[in-house]
Amino acid sequence: MNRLEITKRNEEKILNSFYSELNEQGFSFSVYDGELFNKVSSVDDILDLYHDLEMMSIHVKRGDYKASASFIFGNGEDGIYCMYDYSYSLQEKNLLTKTFNLIDELADERCERLALN
């Protein structure tokens, strides 16, 4: 698997985890693509937008609580750190525990790959 394939796979895993984890907690989603807010109802909606964008902001809402996370795609770290900015409360309230654990796992895999080369 080449670096571009690894990057795309990792970015898709992170987006999938982000959506799944917050969807399980009852959040609704919209994606800002730089021009418009796009309401999304599935991870496939997010992935469809992802394939056409270099960056996106995903806004989440549950009741009165609102937060967001920004993503930049195609970075030099195999896509592991594509979620570059997020509302602090997402981490503070442990709303993305699985996603942050996935990012750590992907970083460990990258280190192992680099050590083998």
Side-chain angles (χ1 to χ4, degrees), residues 4 7 11 50 54 72-79 82:
L4 181 58
T7 297
E11 290 170 349
Y50 153 73
E54 292 178 6
I72 293 181
F73 305 114
N75 70 36
E77 301 290 329
D78 294 344
C82 63

Side-chain angles (χ1 to χ4, degrees), residues 1-49:
M1 189 177 304
N2 68 38
R3 286 202 106 134
L4 181 58
E5 291 169 331
I6 292 169
T7 297
K8 291 181 82 53
R9 182 198 69 192
N10 288 344
E11 290 170 349
E12 288 178 3
K13 282 183 177 181
I14 292 166
L15 286 168
N16 196 341
S17 179
F18 179 88
Y19 178 84
S20 297
E21 189 165 12
L22 292 177
N23 186 51
E24 288 172 5
Q25 298 174 52
F27 282 87
S28 61
F29 298 80
S30 63
V31 173
Y32 182 68
D33 65 10
E35 294 180 21
L36 301 169
F37 279 94
N38 302 274
K39 189 148 179 79
V40 295
S41 58
S42 72
V43 72
D44 290 334
D45 292 340
I46 291 173
L47 293 176
D48 286 345
L49 290 165

Side-chain angles (χ1 to χ4, degrees), residues 32-107:
Y32 182 68
D33 65 10
E35 294 180 21
L36 301 169
F37 279 94
N38 302 274
K39 189 148 179 79
V40 295
S41 58
S42 72
V43 72
D44 290 334
D45 292 340
I46 291 173
L47 293 176
D48 286 345
L49 290 165
Y50 153 73
H51 293 292
D52 295 329
L53 300 173
E54 292 178 6
M55 61 187 302
M56 72 167 62
S57 292
I58 301 177
H59 296 256
V60 297
K61 182 179 179 187
R62 182 178 67 192
D64 292 336
Y65 176 79
K66 296 177 184 176
S68 65
S70 297
F71 296 81
I72 293 181
F73 305 114
N75 70 36
E77 301 290 329
D78 294 344
I80 296 166
Y81 305 109
C82 63
M83 185 171 63
Y84 74 95
D85 188 27
Y86 47 87
S87 297
Y88 181 72
S89 58
L90 288 170
Q91 183 175 5
E92 185 180 63
K93 295 181 182 202
N94 296 318
L95 298 174
L96 290 175
T97 304
K98 293 176 187 174
T99 302
F100 290 127
N101 287 341
L102 171 64
I103 291 169
D104 288 343
E105 290 171 24
L106 294 173

Side-chain angles (χ1 to χ4, degrees), residues 78 80-81 105-117:
D78 294 344
I80 296 166
Y81 305 109
E105 290 171 24
L106 294 173
D108 289 345
E109 286 177 17
R110 181 173 191 270
C111 289
E112 289 173 18
R113 242 187 349 267
L114 292 174
L116 294 175
N117 292 333

